């Protein structure tokens, strides 16, 4: 339909969203229409019969009743689903409004009835609106909400206009009391629409578990809010805003009731101006809200309302007349339901849904109502107690605005932080590593060491080796009895660094442990002590009849004496190494020979003796892969230039590159210049260069960062991707280095352009695939086109990762990569939250380029409209092939050529 397409384009409503958005808009339209019918009625009847002086007491009663309602609501929340709670709320409101309508119709208008009616209308307004926005958070994800809440909110404002004008038209002919039946009738339609929305938009996307899920033993919302900085700021903003609004409301009502004394005229006046306020609010909503919230962000958009109220308060302070009262009320009403409302509802998006269900209604109802009560107490004790005039209330409003602005500035930070914590929680749920983020003090570490799972214990022991703590000596000592040999080994190596304790009596028996790793660690520990009994014991081990014991002692001696010439001479390390080398010739068992070679190579590497370099080099060619890898590791232990050429070549061997990388890392920063020299050689191999980043990322030097930036100019995409991964790693580890953030932008533009080109080409190839005709020749074309499409998708994914890695040079890499990983999630809500976090993280320049690009990457199907939204030109098929061949990508060129050959064969 043309109208539907017009609405979709005007409000950025995408495929599959229009019916949901329209139903939600109609629902809030009817809710607010009802409110704007009953609220002027409540105000008019209350003020005409009890006067403005009774308002402060009514405010306090609203607060007390809201606390009572919230207590019941929290209990019901644990027993019923959200849809049923909303339905029951509507049905209760229909019955209550009907009852009050009958009471007023039969002139039952005592003071208590008027107070009860005013209180119920106040609670109804915040309760139903809060439930609606919780439902909206269920129906729409974070990204949909940011685009659509403005459109949906326009329904609320339109409802305010309709309800206000309806009240103005019907108040005098029907009488105020009969308007309550109109409001009850409107709520019947709200109930039906909510049921339809739930069946169409919520149930189909929920699992059976989610449909049955209730909040078991719900925690009190106040406790949840107290634990969350973000929720505290949100509650403070709403609370202070409500107190200020009550004072504004009092000023407006006081000035209006002073000028207009007839009840029906006053009701009509309120209805007329409430509608006018909503007309202004609707214009703001349609023309500015989405742009302001989208461009300036959630935090900045929340500044508009307090600043406008401050200006209105100034006007009332100096000119307390009807136009000034209308102005300050207009500032409050028009902005509250447009820009401010969108910002407030978006603040709740990063809060987990189960927490949101328990806290949002509490904030919207109880905090709102308690704030109303506080406003009433201020009016009772300050305004009436000190007989302050209406203009002087403006000074109190200005003071509240100052506090309001403070919390708005704080919530901008907590909003992003909450998104980040959500992404971390998702990552932690998917991670295999134990989450030890809570282990931050010695007592926590002690508990892990004494009662933790195997993975947790090993994790802590490996961390503690770099930061030994004498206070943890005893729990580590007890781990010597642990059944897992890897735990025992790590415990011994930890005790090695705890110099204030002597555990030789317990560690000496471990030199005969069945596991060779434990034997080596125990021998190293014993060598730490320069006593005669230790020397005699080590010499005994080196001459033991058991070859395994001899090799263990030899490795330990070589490791402990690597930089100690005196220790080498004292224990005759060279003689023992020679003996072990010559002993190989007598070993016939292949498995034993392999183990002997691996142990001997380890000892030779630790010794750093040049006489054994030829042996190490020759064993790099051993037919047994384990021996060759051990030779690589031994070469790295020597850190001698002699091995650099062979280690560089080994980087290009997929079976050996890991050991070659570790060996080169052992050379330290000195290896960077060697890598630079190789990079400049005309015959440098891409298979070797692609592993350079894995080496230099461990070297905390500026030269390492500079080398990685040089690799960003490499023609092969995999080299560039590896370089960016390493740059992100280095930025986390070594943040003091210069990561050339200003130079990042040209690389980012280049990668974005490459992504756009690849996206266009991928679209053309998919279209060509869809248009192909079944035949023998076309089957060959189809297979080769499928191969090209699969390769293009791999290049597209790699390009997107490079873009995020580049962003990680300017923004915190952990946050950026967490966003990237969550965008790959199969859960739409996780994707939406990640994209929303990215939207708030980026500056305006990057946001314009990257957000549309990432949104396109998340689409299930690539369409021409999506490409047009990115302002991309769609090339013809021949141009696609030319662009791909120009990339100097061998795999892509091969796939393109194969497809072109098949196409030419058909023609």
């Amino acid at each position: 339909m043309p109208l539907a397409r017009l609405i979709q384009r005007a409000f950025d409503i995408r495929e599959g969203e229009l019916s949901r958005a329209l139903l939600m808009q109609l629902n809030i339209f009817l809710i607010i229409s009802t409110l704007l019918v009953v609220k002027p009625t409540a105000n008019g009847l209350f003020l005409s019969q009890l006067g403005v002086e009774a308002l402060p007491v009514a405010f306090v009663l609203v607060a007390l009743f809201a606390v009572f309602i919230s207590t019941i609501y929290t209990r019901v929340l644990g027993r019923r689903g959200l849809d049923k709670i909303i339905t029951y709320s509507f049905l209760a409101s229909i019955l209550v409004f009907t009852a009050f309508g009958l009471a007023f119709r039969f002139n039952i208008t005592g003071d208590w009835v008027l107070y009860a009616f005013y209180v119920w209308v106040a609670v109804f307004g915040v309760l139903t609106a809060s439930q609606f926005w919780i439902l909206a958070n269920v129906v729409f994800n974070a990204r949909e909400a940011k685009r659509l809440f403005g459109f949906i909110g326009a329904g609320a404002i339109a409802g305010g206009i309709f309800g206000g004008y309806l009240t103005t038209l019907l108040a005098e002919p029907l009488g105020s009391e009969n308007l309550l039946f109109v409001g009850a009738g409107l709520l019947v339609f709200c109930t039906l629409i909510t049921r339809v929305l739930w069946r169409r938009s919520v149930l189909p996307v929920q699992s059976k578990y989610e449909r049955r899920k209730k909040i078991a033993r719900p925690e009190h919302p106040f406790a949840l809010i107290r634990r969350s900085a973000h929720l505290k700021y949100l509650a403070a903003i709403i609370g202070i805003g409500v107190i200020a609004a009550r004072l504004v409301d009092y000023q407006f009502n006081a000035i209006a009731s002073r000028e207009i004394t007839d009840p029906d005229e006053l009701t009509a006046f309120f209805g007329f101006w409430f509608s006018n306020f909503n007309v202004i609010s609707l214009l703001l909503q349609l023309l500015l809200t989405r742009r302001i919230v989208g461009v300036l962000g959630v935090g900045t958009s929340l500044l508009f309302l307090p600043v406008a109220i401050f200006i209105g308060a100034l006007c009332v302070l100096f000119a307390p007349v009807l136009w000034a009262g209308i102005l300050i009320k207009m500032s409050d009403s028009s902005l509250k339901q447009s820009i401010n409302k969108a910002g407030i509802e978006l603040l709740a998006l990063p809060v987990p849904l189960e927490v949101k269900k328990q806290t949002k209604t509490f904030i919207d109802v109880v905090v709102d109502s308690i704030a109303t009560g506080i406003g009433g107490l201020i009016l009772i004790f300050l305004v009436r107690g000190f007989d302050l005039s209406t203009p002087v209330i403006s000074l109190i409003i200005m003071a509240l605005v100052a506090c309001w602005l403070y919390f708005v500035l704080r919530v901008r930070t907590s909003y992003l932080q909450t998104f980040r914590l959500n992404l971390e929680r998702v990552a932690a749920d998917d991670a295999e590593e134990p989450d030890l983020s809570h282990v931050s003090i010695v007592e926590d570490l002690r508990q892990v060491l004494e009662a933790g799972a195997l993975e947790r214990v090993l994790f802590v022991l490996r961390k503690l080796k770099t930061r030994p703590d004498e206070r943890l000596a005893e729990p580590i000592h007890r781990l010597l009895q642990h059944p897992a040999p890897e735990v025992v080994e790590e415990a011994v190596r930890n005790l090695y660094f705890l110099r204030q304790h002597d555990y030789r009596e317990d560690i000496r028996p471990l030199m005969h442990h069945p596991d060779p790793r434990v034997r080596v660690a125990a021998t190293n520990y014993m060598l730490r002590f320069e006593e005669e009994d230790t020397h005699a014991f080590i010499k005994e081990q080196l001459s033991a009849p058991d070859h395994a014991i001899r090799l263990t002692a030899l490795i330990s001696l070589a490791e402990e004496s690597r930089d100690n010439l005196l220790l080498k001479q004292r224990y005759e390390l060279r003689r023992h190494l020679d003996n072990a080398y010559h002993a190989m010739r007598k070993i016939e068992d292949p498995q034993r020979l392999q183990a002997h070679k691996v142990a001997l190579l380890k000892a030779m590497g630790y010794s750093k003796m040049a006489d054994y370099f030829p042996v190490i080099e020759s064993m790099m060619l051993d037919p047994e892969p384990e021996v060759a890898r051990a030779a690589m590791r031994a070469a790295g232990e020597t850190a001698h230039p002699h091995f650099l050429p062979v280690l560089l070549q080994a980087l290009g061997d997929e079976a050996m590159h890991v050991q070659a990388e570790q060996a080169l890392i052992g050379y330290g920063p000195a290896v960077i210049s060697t890598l630079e020299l190789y990079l400049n050689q005309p015959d440098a191999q891409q298979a070797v260069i692609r592993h350079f980043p894995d080496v230099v990322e461990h070297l905390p030097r500026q030269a390492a960062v500079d080398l990685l930036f040089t690799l960003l100019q490499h023609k092969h995409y995999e080299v560039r991707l590896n370089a960016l991964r390493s740059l992100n790693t280095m930025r986390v580890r070594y943040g003091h280095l210069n990561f050339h953030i200003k130079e990042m932008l040209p690389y980012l533009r280049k990668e974005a352009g490459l992504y756009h080109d690849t996206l266009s080409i991928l679209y053309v190839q998919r279209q060509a695939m869809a248009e192909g005709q079944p035949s023998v020749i076309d089957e060959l074309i189809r297979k080769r086109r499928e191969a090209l499409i699969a390769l293009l998708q791999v290049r597209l994914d790699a390009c997107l990762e490079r873009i995020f890695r580049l962003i990680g040079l300017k923004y915190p890499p952990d946050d950026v990569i967490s966003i990237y990983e969550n965008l790959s999630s199969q859960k739409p809500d996780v994707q939406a939250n990640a994209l929303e976090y990215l939207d708030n993280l980026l500056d305006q320049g990057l946001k314009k380029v990257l957000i549309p690009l990432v949104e396109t990457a998340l689409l299930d199907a690539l369409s021409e409209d999506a490409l047009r939204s990115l302002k991309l030109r769609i090339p013809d098929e021949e141009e696609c092939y030319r662009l791909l061949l120009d990339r100097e990508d061998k795999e892509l060129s091969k796939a393109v050529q194969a497809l072109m050959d098949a196409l030419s064969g058909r023609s």
Side-chain angles (χ1 to χ4, degrees), residues 520 550-552 554-559 562 573 576-582 584 587 592-609 611-639 643 647 656 659 663:
V520 170
R550 290 198 306 271
L551 287 173
T552 299
L554 184 60
I555 293 169
S556 298
L557 176 60
E559 184 178 1
R562 65 171 72 195
L573 177 61
H576 289 293
L577 285 171
D578 287 343
N579 290 341
Y581 177 68
H582 293 303
M584 285 193 306
I587 301 174
R592 181 182 165 187
L593 178 61
Q594 177 179 321
H596 188 97
K597 286 180 178 180
V598 170
L600 179 60
L601 283 166
K602 185 178 290 188
M604 286 179 172
Y606 285 149
S607 75
K608 297 186 179 182
M609 293 181 178
D611 293 350
Y612 300 108
F613 288 178
V615 177
I616 294 173
E617 193 167 358
S618 66
M619 288 196 185
M620 288 181 183
L621 303 176
D622 195 281
E624 289 295 335
E626 186 58 37
V627 175
R629 286 192 285 267
M632 289 284 177
R633 291 191 292 268
E637 290 295 338
T638 68
F643 292 105
L647 290 175
M656 305 296 293
Q659 285 69 32

Side-chain angles (χ1 to χ4, degrees), residues 42-52 261-264 266-267:
N43 285 2
L45 290 172
F46 188 90
L47 292 173
S48 62
Q49 297 190 37
L50 299 179
V52 73
T261 56
D262 182 82
D264 289 336
L266 192 58
T267 297

Side-chain angles (χ1 to χ4, degrees), residues 296-353:
L296 299 180
V298 175
T300 303
S301 64
L302 293 174
L303 296 172
F304 282 73
L305 177 59
V307 170
I309 289 177
F310 186 89
I311 294 170
L314 276 176
C315 293
V316 174
L317 180 63
F318 293 107
V321 292
L322 192 58
W323 70 263
I326 294 172
L327 177 64
I328 190 171
K329 184 63 178 176
M330 181 174 63
S331 301
D332 177 49
S333 299
S334 58
L335 288 170
K336 180 185 289 183
Q337 296 304 322
S338 54
I339 297 171
N340 194 75
K341 186 65 175 177
I344 288 290
E345 296 307 327
L346 288 171
L347 282 181
L349 283 174
V351 180
L353 182 58

